[in-house]
């Protein structure tokens, strides 16, 4: 038994980063959106739309770049719609988010059943980068040196997002609009413009998170494939204290629970019902949120529409 | 916070704002409010149908044929009408409960899980307490359903009050926990004797609701849902508890200064909305399915959100919007079979309805803001 467990560790570690990857893309995107003062709880729907778009585009063209570009485009359009209702119409952000989740679920289900049901639906996937020798290192070899390119992409995404948010005028504008929109407006920053941009960056990255599920992690679309990851990403943002780096580490923590869930479910000789593992990521999300009491640093203007 | 005087003034403003439903400024204004608040939902539904009709057209379906099939599937004869009422029953209960939560500014997205919690508890009673007479068992099953859902809801409320955890995320996570937990029960300890399907045994005869319109399946649960809506209406608008719930939703600080225990209203709102969803679960089991299985809810908890919002979070309005969404759900099943259009389209229509309603709400507020200013100025 012990040796079985030890043998599983490299695989669990590798799966941790892989399972954290969609959370990282979505949560970093949501960090940028929320720092601008907009709460988008429609991540789940956005992710589903991204997952379906990537799948359908790669299915049609057999080209991964087309898949990713189409995903980005759909992500930006979703952001445009969300920002129109929340920033221009100034509707309640939570309600619009709920609508977005329903639309994502309904549209992807409708299109999938109309276009793909009964077809052989496997697509090409993002290639794995295997670094010889290093990937054979004990314990961490597989995790660090044998992953698909979108997993490594998170190593690029997090520093870039941090740089934009903390070292550029645009990032400063995002943060100021989220903390004190009135003051930002007074110094000539377009509150609406910045919020539109921040929302669209967020949904584009969230759509990419969905694409990861269909063209990298697996090679097909399944209805409801996101299984709550969009909501878990919301908790990741809180746990990561609204910073890209924090979101990265918080995602890895949740990645552990997903990885354990996968591995333990596959263990045939365990006397524990598989639902006990299935429930892990969701229960862990609650526990993590409870452990945060009194330590949240939400942007001051979060979820409040700005009345010029 | 230090300037309590301005807060008291703010509170006076809140009281004024809260009395909008029965404005003192006369009958004409009352009619105006009624007219505009009825036009809105109708326009929202029309907009949703136009957009989804365009979508069907693009996807290569005939939208007119689709909608005609939907209508026939919802209102064609007595049997399908009774099915609409059956679909509307859980939506009505859940929608009424959510209206209470949303009014107190609590974003309970967990009605789905609360529905399961209620269904589980009532199924346990319905199976294992089958020796009790119906006159005892039926009320017991219903009460336990309410209690199960209420506990599941209050748990998320407690997380919010005690630990500051956002109820949006915790209620959604508790949905997964409840559904997976139900999956465990129906494949493990509570699986039917034959053990063929992942479902429980049937509940005892004495635990089942009376079907009053044979040969249809229509049961007294539908009538209970109507009564429940009226009770919640009275609670919300005619009692001080209801006032506290609405005031806390409107402006927490002002409510606190008025001596309202905001934490208590959070728990209360979660308890009522969770209990309503749990009662819906109990009624579904004891009135319709007679047993528990993992897919017992096709997303009632989420449709319930659209139901409450379309009704402007008014318990009596929920009766109408639940009937509408019940018809939509029931009709879409028929549409799927005869027009081959996937019934998940219903979620798209729901999303569109919510977007239209919420946009109209903002517009309406602006409109009435102007009306009031014009009158006073």
């Amino acid at each position: 038994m012990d040796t079985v467990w030890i043998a599983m560790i490299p695989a669990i570690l590798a799966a941790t980063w892989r399972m954290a990857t969609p959370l990282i893309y979505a949560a970093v995107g949501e960090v940028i959106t929320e720092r601008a003062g907009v709460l988008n709880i429609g991540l789940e729907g956005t992710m589903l739309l991204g997952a379906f778009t990537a799948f359908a585009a790669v299915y049609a063209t057999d080209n991964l770049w087309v898949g990713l570009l189409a995903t980005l485009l759909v992500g930006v359009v979703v952001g445009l719609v969300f920002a129109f209702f929340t920033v221009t119409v100034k509707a309640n952000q939570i309600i619009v988010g709920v609508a977005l989740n329903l639309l994502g679920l309904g549209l992807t289900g409708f299109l999938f059943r109309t276009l793909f049901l009964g077809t052989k639906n496997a697509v090409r996937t993002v290639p794995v980068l295997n670094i010889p020798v290093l990937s054979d290192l004990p314990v961490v070899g597989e995790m660090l040196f044998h992953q698909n390119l979108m997993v490594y992409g998170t190593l690029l995404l997090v520093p870039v997002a941090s740089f934009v948010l903390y070292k550029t005028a645009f990032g400063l504008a995002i943060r100021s609009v989220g903390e004190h929109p009135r003051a930002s407006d007074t110094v000539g920053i377009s509150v609406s413009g910045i919020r539109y941009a921040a929302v669209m960056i967020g949904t584009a990255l969230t759509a990419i998170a969905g694409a990861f599920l269909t063209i990298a992690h697996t090679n097909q679309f399944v209805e409801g494939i996101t299984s709550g990851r969009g909501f878990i990403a919301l908790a990741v943002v809180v746990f990561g204290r609204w910073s890209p780096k924090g979101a990265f580490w918080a995602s890895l923590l949740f990645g552990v629970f997903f990885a354990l869930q996968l591995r333990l479910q596959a263990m045939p000789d365990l006397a524990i019902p598989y639902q006990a593992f299935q429930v892990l990521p969701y229960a862990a999300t609650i526990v993590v949120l409870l452990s945060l009491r009194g330590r949240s640093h939400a942007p001051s203007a979060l979820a409040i529409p700005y009345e010029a | 916070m230090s300037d309590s005087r301005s807060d008291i003034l703010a509170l006076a403003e809140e009281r004024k704002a809260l009395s909008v439903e029965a404005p003192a400024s006369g009958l004409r204004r009352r009619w105006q409010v009624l007219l505009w608040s009825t036009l809105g939902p109708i326009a929202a539904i029309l907009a949703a149908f136009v957009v989804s009709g365009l979508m069907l057209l693009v996807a290569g379906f005939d939208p007119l044929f689709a909608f005609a099939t939907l209508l026939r599937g919802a209102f064609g004869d007595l049997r399908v009408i009774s099915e609409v009422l059956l679909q509307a029953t859980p939506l009505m209960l859940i929608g009424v409960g959510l209206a209470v939560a949303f009014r107190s500014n609590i974003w309970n997205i967990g009605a789905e899980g609360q529905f399961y919690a209620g269904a589980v508890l009532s199924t346990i009673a319905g199976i294992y307490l089958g020796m009790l007479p119906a006159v005892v068992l039926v009320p017991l099953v219903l009460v336990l359903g309410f209690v199960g859902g209420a506990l599941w809801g209050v748990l998320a409320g407690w997380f919010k009050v005690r630990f500051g955890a956002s109820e949006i995320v915790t209620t959604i996570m508790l949905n997964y926990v409840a559904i997976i937990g139900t999956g465990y029960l129906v494949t493990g300890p509570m699986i039917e004797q034959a053990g063929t399907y992942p479902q429980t045994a049937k509940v005892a005869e004495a635990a089942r609701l009376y079907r009053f319109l044979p040969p249809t399946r229509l049961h007294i649960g539908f009538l209970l849902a109507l009564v429940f809506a009226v009770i919640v209406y009275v609670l919300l608008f005619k009692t001080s508890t209801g006032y506290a719930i609405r005031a806390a939703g409107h402006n927490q600080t002002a409510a606190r200064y008025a001596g309202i225990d905001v934490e208590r209203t959070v728990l209360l709102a979660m308890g009522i909305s969770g209990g309503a969803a749990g009662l819906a679960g109990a009624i579904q089991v004891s009135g319709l399915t007679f047993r528990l299985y993992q897919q017992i809810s096709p997303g009632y908890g989420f449709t319930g959100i659209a139901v409450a919002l379309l009704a402007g979070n008014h318990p009596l309005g929920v009766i109408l919007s639940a009937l509408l969404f019940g018809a939509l759900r029931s009709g879409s099943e028929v549409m799927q079979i005869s027009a081959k259009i996937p019934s998940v389209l219903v979620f798209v229509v729901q999303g569109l309805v919510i977007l239209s309603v919420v946009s109209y709400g903002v517009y309406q507020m602006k409109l009435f803001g102007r009306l009031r200013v014009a009158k006073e100025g």
Side-chain angles (χ1 to χ4, degrees):
Chain A
M1 188 70 183
D2 283 353
T3 51
V4 173
W5 282 95
I6 290 167
M8 267 169 50
I9 287 175
I12 289 180
L13 285 176
T16 295
W17 191 12
R18 203 158 51 238
M19 299 307 280
T21 296
L23 298 178
I24 296 170
Y25 282 101
V28 168
E30 180 72 2
V31 163
I32 292 169
T33 304
E34 290 196 15
R35 287 304 282 261
V38 182
L39 175 67
N40 180 1
I41 70 159
L43 298 187
E44 183 82 356
T46 311
M47 215 187 268
L48 273 172
L49 287 166
F52 180 79
T53 306
F55 166 77
V58 175
Y59 186 90
T61 64
D62 199 32
N63 185 324
L64 290 167
W65 290 111
V66 174
L68 286 174
L69 275 176
T71 306
L72 276 175
L73 189 71
V74 165
V76 167
V77 170
V78 169
L80 204 60
V81 172
F82 186 85
F84 172 74
F85 282 104
T86 54
V87 179
T88 303
V89 179
K90 299 184 181 28
N92 182 308
Q93 295 170 9
I94 295 168
I95 297 178
V96 178
V98 167
L100 178 51
N101 286 330
L102 286 170
L103 286 173
L105 188 67
L107 276 175
T108 56
F110 175 76
L111 291 174
F112 181 72
R113 287 190 209 176
T114 313
L115 300 174
F116 290 100
L117 209 61
T119 61
K120 169 195 84 66
N121 52 33
V123 293
R124 172 197 292 279
T125 56
V126 172
V128 169
L129 183 71
N130 184 33
I131 299 169
V133 187
L134 286 178
S135 63
D136 292 330
L137 281 176
V139 189
V140 296
E142 191 186 345
M143 170 171 76
L144 297 179
F145 303 108
H146 185 88
Q147 298 278 17
N148 71 59
L149 288 171
M150 287 184 83
V151 175
Y152 292 116
T154 61
L155 293 181
L156 191 67
L157 171 73
V158 173
V160 167
S162 292
F163 179 80
V164 170
L165 208 48
Y166 300 112
K167 305 285 181 199
T168 65
F170 177 56
L172 182 64
I174 289 179
R175 288 180 292 133
S176 67
V177 158
E179 288 298 331
H180 206 311
R182 174 76 60 204
S184 320
D185 195 6
T186 312
V187 299
I189 296 171
S190 160
V191 176
S192 301
I194 294 293
R195 287 191 169 172
Y196 261 87
V199 166
M200 290 192 289
I201 293 171
T203 49
L205 286 172
T206 304
I208 292 292
F212 173 83
L213 295 173
T214 48
I215 64 169
H217 183 57
T218 69
N219 60 357
Q220 56 183 338
F221 181 84
V222 178
E223 276 182 62
I225 189 170
T226 47
S227 57
R229 286 181 175 84
F231 298 115
I232 293 177
L234 288 175
V236 166
V237 172
V238 179
F239 192 48
R241 295 189 181 201
W242 287 270
S243 88
K245 269 191 207 115
F248 180 82
W249 295 113
S251 299
L252 281 179
L253 175 72
F254 284 102
V256 174
F257 295 114
F258 274 107
L260 280 176
Q261 175 211 25
L262 282 179
R263 283 288 144 185
L264 297 178
Q265 266 191 66
M267 297 272 289
D269 53 344
L270 278 180
I272 308 164
Y274 71 90
Q275 290 96 349
F277 305 115
Q278 228 182 357
V279 87
L280 256 180
Y282 312 111
T285 304
I286 296 175
V287 172
V288 163
L289 273 183
L290 298 190
S291 71
L292 285 176
R293 63 177 149 156
R295 291 197 287 118
S296 79
H297 293 73
S300 314
L302 189 61
I304 305 167
Y306 178 62
E307 303 282 352
Chain B
M1 298 283 164
S2 58
D3 188 6
S4 61
R5 218 182 103 84
S6 70
D7 276 305
I8 291 168
L9 287 177
L11 174 73
E13 281 298 309
E14 292 311 316
R15 282 186 195 267
K16 232 196 279 176
L18 277 172
S19 64
V20 156
E21 272 110 36
S25 39
L27 199 62
R28 206 172 130 230
R29 196 179 140 76
R30 194 186 290 238
W31 275 108
Q32 254 174 341
V33 172
L34 191 67
L35 178 71
W36 283 102
S37 53
T38 328
L39 276 181
I42 294 173
I45 294 156
L46 282 179
F49 270 97
V50 169
V51 176
S52 45
L54 285 174
M55 218 181 81
L56 284 175
L57 201 63
V58 172
F61 295 103
D62 176 357
L64 291 180
F65 175 66
F67 292 146
T69 322
L70 191 137
L71 278 179
R72 204 152 17 85
F75 305 108
D77 56 50
L78 180 67
R79 195 193 63 79
V80 294
I81 292 174
S82 74
E83 290 298 312
V84 168
L85 302 185
L86 285 173
Q87 289 281 349
T89 301
L91 296 178
M92 206 179 288
L93 288 162
I94 291 170
V96 165
L98 290 181
V100 174
F102 295 164
R103 286 233 173 213
S104 64
N105 215 7
I106 299 295
W107 296 101
N108 179 6
I109 319 287
E112 188 79 358
Q114 292 142 13
F115 179 97
Y116 275 90
V120 166
L121 221 53
S122 56
T123 307
I124 291 175
I127 293 175
Y128 301 109
L129 299 177
M131 59 296 207
L132 295 173
V135 55
V136 180
L137 190 53
V138 167
L140 184 68
V141 160
L142 297 179
V143 168
L144 280 177
F146 188 92
V147 169
L151 286 176
W152 210 240
V154 167
L155 188 63
W158 185 67
F159 289 162
K160 184 185 175 73
V161 171
R162 177 77 175 72
F163 300 94
S166 152
E167 77 279 14
I168 300 174
V169 178
T170 57
T171 51
I172 290 168
M173 293 302 129
L174 285 173
N175 285 342
Y176 288 101
V177 176
I179 294 169
I180 293 169
T182 303
Y184 165 67
L185 289 176
V186 301
T187 53
M190 283 178 73
I191 193 167
E192 59 172 344
Q193 205 90 60
T196 334
Y197 298 105
Q199 59 184 20
T200 65
K202 283 191 171 183
V203 295
E205 295 274 356
R208 298 179 194 176
L209 296 181
Y210 175 61
R211 291 182 171 175
F212 62 88
L213 196 66
T216 74
R217 305 192 290 167
L218 197 57
H219 55 71
I220 53 165
F222 174 68
L223 306 177
L224 286 176
L226 291 175
V227 173
F228 187 81
V230 174
I231 291 174
V232 171
Y233 166 74
V234 171
L235 173 87
L236 208 49
F237 291 102
K238 310 288 176 195
T239 69
S240 59
T241 307
Y243 178 77
I245 288 176
R246 288 180 295 135
H250 215 74
N251 183 331
Q252 280 208 358
T253 318
R256 258 185 241 281
Y257 273 100
I260 291 168
D261 184 345
V262 173
E263 280 70 32
R264 195 176 142 266
T265 62
V266 170
L267 296 176
L268 198 64
M270 284 305 301
I272 293 172
S273 57
L279 181 60
I283 287 178
Q284 198 71 0
V285 169
S286 59
L288 208 57
T289 65
F290 298 146
R291 55 169 117 229
L292 183 64
Y293 44 93
Q294 196 168 2
Q295 291 81 27
I296 191 168
S297 166
Y300 290 131
F302 301 109
T303 306
I305 297 172
V307 168
L309 292 176
L310 181 66
N313 297 325
H314 195 293
L316 299 182
V318 164
I319 295 177
L320 292 178
S321 71
L323 288 171
L324 176 86
F325 278 103
L328 196 60
R329 236 176 206 299
S330 203
S332 71
E333 305 288 334
V334 178
M335 192 175 73
Q336 171 157 293
I337 295 164
S338 31
K340 301 274 177 286
I341 294 169
S343 64
V344 279
L345 191 68
V346 175
F347 285 120
V348 178
V349 176
Q350 283 169 22
L352 292 171
V353 166
I354 292 177
L355 283 183
S356 321
V357 166
V358 77
S359 313
Y360 181 81
V362 174
Y363 169 74
Q364 196 184 17
M365 241 157 64
K366 277 184 193 152
L367 184 82
F368 283 129
R370 257 203 298 281
L371 278 179
R372 190 184 295 164
V373 170
K375 206 155 213 150
E376 287 166 5

